[in-house]
Amino acid sequence: MNNILRIGRIELRVMDLEQSAKYYRNVIGLEETARDSDRVYLKAWDEYDHHSIILKKADAPGMDHMAFKVKHSYDLEALERKVEQFGCKTWRISRGSRIAEGEAIRFEIPTGHEVELYSDIEFVGTGTGFTNPDPWPDHLRGIAPHRLDHALLTGDDIETVTRFFTEVLGFRQTEKIITVDGEQMLGSFLAITNTAHDLAFVKGPDNKFHHAGFHVDNWYEVLKAADILSKNKINIEVTPTRHGITRGQTVYFFDPSGNRNEAFASGYITYADFPTITWTEDQIGTGIFYHRRELVESFSKALT
């Protein structure tokens, strides 16, 4: 038992910090909780920790790191040893390196991405509170997702990164994509909670970011998200549709720096004994876009 609770945050590199902050506040509908000269910190309305999204000023887009929240601070040292035993380089991020955060362990996973584990972050609560709360707060803006839901990354060695997350960090593989002959894994969907996925990898260049998914309630909210995006003249990559993989409902679009976002609804519940679902490469179009049954070209090429 590693006591990893859930996905905690993603730090995204953006080229125009103020333009990006405006987009994530007004179009996505996140709440800005703090900022300094190089970063803006944001959270969704139903999240209670200080932030789940960090925007970092940079010369090129992409993901700086993603992080998972651990139940106890004393779990970090044991996890650090397990990560190092697998062969991954680790280092410590000291308390106060970023606003509202305590110490974290940072490491490079087999696909070249940097990941952190942490337990200490400032608790700020939600707009509804925790005593006799209403279903939602007043004055929501934009898409207004409940939370950061998942991330999809790309890398060359899907088998090894899957082993790392399952054997070292205790994730479960909910779905996988394999070649028709079954000899190679092309995609891996991983969960540490009871969702269909908290993190996923598809075969592609190492250390690239595909998208961050934000959870909305239902199909209507996905359609509403598309209306909001069009109203704000945001580049929509894929209009509302369904995934075969995860059974989720989705719309894909891009932030001002070119980082892909997703409004994601539904999907199934998983348990500790959930059997891994297998998709073969010849059915990948249906797996990703169930209605059109084929990929759009940009989906595998537009990476940051």
Side-chain angles (χ1 to χ4, degrees):
M1 294 294 293
N2 291 328
N3 287 332
I4 297 176
L5 298 175
R6 56 177 170 80
I7 187 172
R9 61 173 175 262
I10 294 179
E11 183 170 18
L12 293 174
R13 298 189 298 267
V14 298
M15 293 180 286
D16 186 323
L17 190 60
E18 192 51 54
Q19 181 189 31
S20 297
K22 182 178 179 181
Y23 162 86
Y24 279 94
R25 288 195 311 264
N26 297 332
V27 178
I28 300 296
L30 303 183
E31 174 189 349
E32 183 176 325
T33 55
R35 66 165 61 205
D36 55 29
S37 59
D38 296 320
R39 291 182 174 94
V40 173
Y41 300 76
L42 306 111
K43 65 180 284 292
W45 69 265
D46 216 7
E47 294 173 328
Y48 38 82
D49 285 343
H50 185 272
H51 55 267
S52 62
I53 294 291
I54 307 172
L55 306 178
K56 180 182 180 181
K57 186 177 181 181
D59 295 329
M63 185 185 80
D64 177 85
H65 82 280
M66 70 178 302
F68 295 91
K69 190 176 185 181
V70 174
K71 188 173 183 179
H72 302 294
S73 59
Y74 53 76
D75 292 316
L76 293 177
E77 188 172 343
L79 285 165
E80 183 177 37
R81 287 196 300 270
K82 292 183 69 176
V83 170
E84 290 173 344
Q85 288 168 358
F86 192 86
C88 296
K89 175 186 175 183
T90 68
W91 61 101
R92 293 288 181 123
I93 305 297
S94 61
R95 176 182 297 273
S97 296
R98 294 180 294 260
I99 294 174
E101 295 181 14
E103 186 180 42
I105 298 167
R106 191 159 179 158
F107 46 90
E108 184 178 305
I109 63 175
T111 51
H113 302 89
E114 293 186 2
V115 173
E116 291 184 7
L117 300 174
Y118 70 97
S119 65
D120 184 13
I121 186 169
E122 182 182 341
F123 179 90
V124 296
T126 70
T128 58
F130 293 94
T131 302
N132 304 324
D134 291 313
W136 64 85
D138 294 330
H139 312 304
L140 294 178
R141 300 182 309 276
I143 295 169
H146 285 265
R147 64 178 186 269
L148 172 65
D149 189 80
H150 65 268
L152 175 61
L153 311 176
T154 71
D156 181 61
D157 190 347
I158 304 300
E159 287 88 352
T160 300
V161 79
T162 297
R163 282 202 309 109
F164 173 80
F165 276 93
T166 56
E167 296 175 9
V168 177
L169 300 185
F171 282 64
R172 292 168 288 106
Q173 186 181 54
T174 57
E175 307 209 27
K176 64 182 177 180
I177 306 166
I178 59 172
T179 53
V180 175
D181 59 16
E183 293 185 357
Q184 187 177 11
M185 194 186 303
L186 304 176
S188 186
F189 295 75
L190 303 161
I192 195 66
T193 62
N194 66 344
T195 64
H197 64 329
D198 298 293
L199 174 64
F201 293 89
V202 293
K203 193 169 183 64
D206 278 340
N207 197 24
K208 287 295 184 179
F209 175 74
H210 191 276
H211 73 264
F214 295 91
H215 177 79
V216 297
D217 270 329
N218 51 45
W219 177 239
Y220 169 75
E221 294 296 329
V222 173
L223 297 176
K224 181 182 175 183
D227 287 341
I228 291 167
L229 294 167
S230 188
K231 181 179 180 181
N232 285 275
K233 298 178 173 58
I234 303 300
N235 180 16
I236 300 176
E237 180 185 31
V238 179
T239 52
T241 187
R242 174 188 286 279
H243 292 310
I245 297 171
T246 76
R247 302 182 205 149
Q249 294 138 11
T250 177
V251 57
Y252 285 104
F253 47 100
F254 294 96
D255 77 7
S257 297
N259 295 308
R260 185 187 281 103
N261 295 158
E262 177 190 24
F264 178 88
S266 302
Y268 49 74
I269 293 174
T270 61
Y271 300 99
D273 60 347
F274 185 85
T276 301
I277 296 169
T278 298
W279 290 82
T280 53
E281 184 181 13
D282 59 327
Q283 295 299 314
I284 189 60
T286 302
I288 302 298
F289 299 126
Y290 187 71
H291 295 158
R292 66 184 297 149
R293 300 187 301 281
E294 62 181 9
L295 295 178
V296 296
E297 184 177 3
S298 63
F299 196 72
S300 58
K301 294 184 177 180
L303 308 171
T304 55

